[in-house]
Amino acid sequence: SEMSPVGRTKTLPAFGSHVSKMTFAFASCQNYPVGYFTAYRHMAAEELDLVFHLGDYIYEGPGPASTTPSPRYHNGPEIMTLTDYRNRYALYKSDSDLQAAHAKFPWVVAMDDHEVENNHAGLFPENNQPVEPFLARKAAAFQAYYENMPLRSSSLPSGFTMQLYRNFNYGDLANVFVLDTRQFRDDQASSDKDVVQPPTPESTSVDRSIMGEEQEQWLLSGLYQSQAKWNIIPQQVLFCKRDLLIGTGEELNMENWDGYSANRDRILNFAKQQGLTNLVVLTGNVHNNWACDIKADFNNPDSETLGAEFVGTAITSGGDGVDITDAQKAVLAENPHIKFYNNQRGYVRCIVTPDSWQTDYRIVPYVSRPGAPITTRASFLLEKGKPGLQKIYDGAVTV
């Protein structure tokens, strides 16, 4: 007795065909109780070819209690069973702004941690919990994810495993490699998970991987064969090095690629050997906007620039946010390859041609109530033959 609203999708350009332009947006981290998905309503008004979602489509935790003031509330306690996960997706998908963005564009999705459990790593649950119940929970999470996301039949889960890394060509313009940095990673190099600490012999070990050997070889082989103008890598956690200790020494977040530096070095060394300067990494997870030059050696600011990483903020996670603090300005100064930071919510829009790439950071001033307007906070340009990010627009509000 139900009638679905009309939606639309779009097929890829023919393999190898000439494509003069691609416009897309990417988003991540939409914690339902934290705020309203207003950014998706604005995204639905854009003229886009597709949308990338880079993880944390749902949040598995209980959220605030009904007695605690909050914009919205989850529909139950922390989710564990298949029924729990299905109900949580049903709640998120009841949001009319999210529905509008799904109805307007095809989506390419990547899973991070909250679709299963916060900060899990491969077969390792958070907080040293027993493994067996975690694997049952993971199987339920994968089944619900497959039922609710636009995925190929090749991604049909088998228990607690699921084929999520995959690639596609957008004509001759772009080769896209969607990564899975959660399912095959070694456990985080820390006593438990999302820890900021100096590099350790464990975190720098040449044997460590955030993507697993098979996926790593798949990516390197794909990059070697690619003839596209741009090689795009949508994935989950911060790829570029980010030293959070101001002054002498280093402190790195072990959940990110910084905790798997040898794996990152293998990719960077390969790109340098192949003469690649067209890598563009798209990242979510951290609830902030960042823009980074990908350097062949992050410890040498004068080393070759191999491409750029654009990190998109959250749809709601982190709340209303602020633009930038003095502490984050110091982090930018500590990391000269990082060109931009912003801590407000929204999404990122990219306009890609054979010769240029423009990235626009689209932000809303608040998510704690509905109806926020959208503005462009900053825009960056990549030009073929001119390595390095160029800021072409700065919409900072001056006081």
Side-chain angles (χ1 to χ4, degrees):
S1 61
E2 298 295 329
M3 182 68 72
S4 171
V6 174
R8 72 173 189 179
T9 191
K10 184 176 182 177
T11 57
L12 290 169
F15 179 79
S17 61
H18 176 67
V19 175
S20 60
K21 185 179 180 181
M22 171 174 63
T23 304
F24 66 86
F26 67 90
S28 65
C29 303
Q30 50 201 48
N31 196 336
Y32 185 89
V34 171
Y36 292 90
F37 295 169
T38 312
Y40 279 130
R41 181 64 59 176
H42 294 294
M43 184 189 290
E46 304 263 17
E47 290 300 322
L48 306 174
D49 295 303
L50 73 159
V51 169
F52 292 102
H53 194 281
L54 303 179
D56 298 344
Y57 189 96
I58 62 167
Y59 277 68
E60 82 290 7
S66 59
T67 54
T68 303
S70 179
R72 304 196 285 190
Y73 299 91
H74 272 153
N75 54 348
E78 182 155 355
I79 53 179
M80 296 289 180
T81 68
L82 179 55
T83 297
D84 291 341
Y85 280 95
R86 285 170 170 166
N87 287 338
R88 189 58 55 86
Y89 279 102
L91 173 68
Y92 279 58
K93 283 179 171 285
S94 71
D95 185 277
S96 60
D97 294 336
L98 178 60
Q99 289 178 8
H102 271 296
K104 187 75 178 290
F105 315 113
W107 282 41
V108 176
V109 298
M111 178 188 281
D112 196 23
D113 56 341
H114 286 289
E115 290 90 348
V116 180
E117 178 192 58
N118 182 49
N119 286 339
H120 74 277
L123 303 181
F124 298 94
E126 188 181 26
N127 297 327
N128 298 313
Q129 302 167 49
V131 172
E132 189 169 321
F134 168 70
L135 296 183
R137 180 185 188 181
K138 191 173 184 181
F142 278 8
Q143 178 64 29
Y145 187 77
Y146 183 80
E147 291 174 359
N148 283 277
M149 294 292 105
L151 289 163
R152 302 170 178 176
S153 59
S154 57
S155 292
L156 182 69
S158 176
F160 54 82
T161 63
M162 190 176 187
Q163 181 65 44
L164 287 170
Y165 67 85
R166 59 207 189 276
N167 77 295
F168 62 87
N169 296 283
Y170 203 87
D172 65 350
L173 182 61
N175 204 347
V176 181
F177 303 91
V178 182
L179 300 191
D180 178 353
T181 63
R182 189 62 62 176
Q183 193 173 178
F184 307 106
R185 66 164 64 192
D186 293 311
D187 201 5
Q188 279 91 312
S190 61
S191 57
D192 199 27
K193 311 308 179 186
D194 192 3
V195 171
V196 174
Q197 65 182 31
T200 67
E202 181 184 7
S203 71
T204 57
S205 169
V206 296
D207 298 323
R208 281 179 62 73
S209 178
I210 196 173
M211 55 193 308
E213 182 179 357
E214 182 177 316
Q215 184 180 187
E216 182 178 331
Q217 293 306 312
W218 164 84
L219 174 62
L220 298 182
S221 176
L223 291 174
Y224 178 77
Q225 297 176 53
S226 176
Q227 299 296 315
K229 305 296 190 301
W230 301 96
N231 288 304
I232 307 175
I233 305 177
Q235 55 94 54
Q236 294 79 5
V237 295
L238 197 68
F239 180 80
C240 288
K241 184 176 181 178
R242 184 184 54 166
D243 179 10
L244 297 170
L245 179 63
I246 308 306
T248 305
E250 293 180 342
E251 287 188 350
L252 310 172
N253 188 316
M254 293 295 123
E255 188 189 18
N256 298 336
W257 286 77
D258 279 336
Y260 305 82
S261 56
N263 193 164
R264 179 175 61 201
D265 288 345
R266 290 191 292 271
I267 295 172
L268 296 176
N269 291 338
F270 177 86
K272 182 179 178 180
Q273 292 167 5
Q274 297 300 317
L276 299 179
T277 58
N278 63 350
L279 297 180
V280 180
V281 176
L282 311 178
T283 302
N285 180 265
V286 296
H287 309 168
N288 319 118
N289 288 310
W290 302 79
C292 316
D293 283 333
I294 298 176
K295 306 298 289 186
D297 180 358
F298 288 109
N299 295 321
N300 178 9
D302 296 324
S303 66
E304 295 175 54
T305 300
L306 305 176
E309 178 179 18
F310 299 111
V311 183
T313 188
I315 291 292
T316 60
S317 303
D320 290 343
V322 296
D323 185 23
I324 188 170
T325 64
D326 289 341
Q328 292 299 337
K329 290 177 182 177
V331 171
L332 291 181
E334 187 72 20
N335 298 270
H337 60 280
I338 303 180
K339 307 301 182 181
F340 175 66
Y341 168 89
N342 165 267
N343 182 29
Q344 291 170 291
R345 311 288 79 83
Y347 59 90
V348 182
R349 179 182 63 201
C350 300
I351 304 167
V352 185
T353 73
D355 298 316
S356 67
W357 178 303
Q358 179 174 323
T359 292
D360 303 316
Y361 288 90
R362 305 278 281 160
I363 61 167
V364 293
Y366 53 84
V367 296
S368 53
R369 61 190 191 276
I374 191 91
T375 58
T376 297
R377 172 58 183 82
S379 296
F380 286 86
L381 181 68
L382 279 173
E383 291 183 281
K384 280 295 183 66
K386 296 181 181 179
L389 288 169
Q390 307 168 49
K391 182 184 280 189
I392 58 173
Y393 175 76
D394 192 329
V397 176
T398 57
V399 179

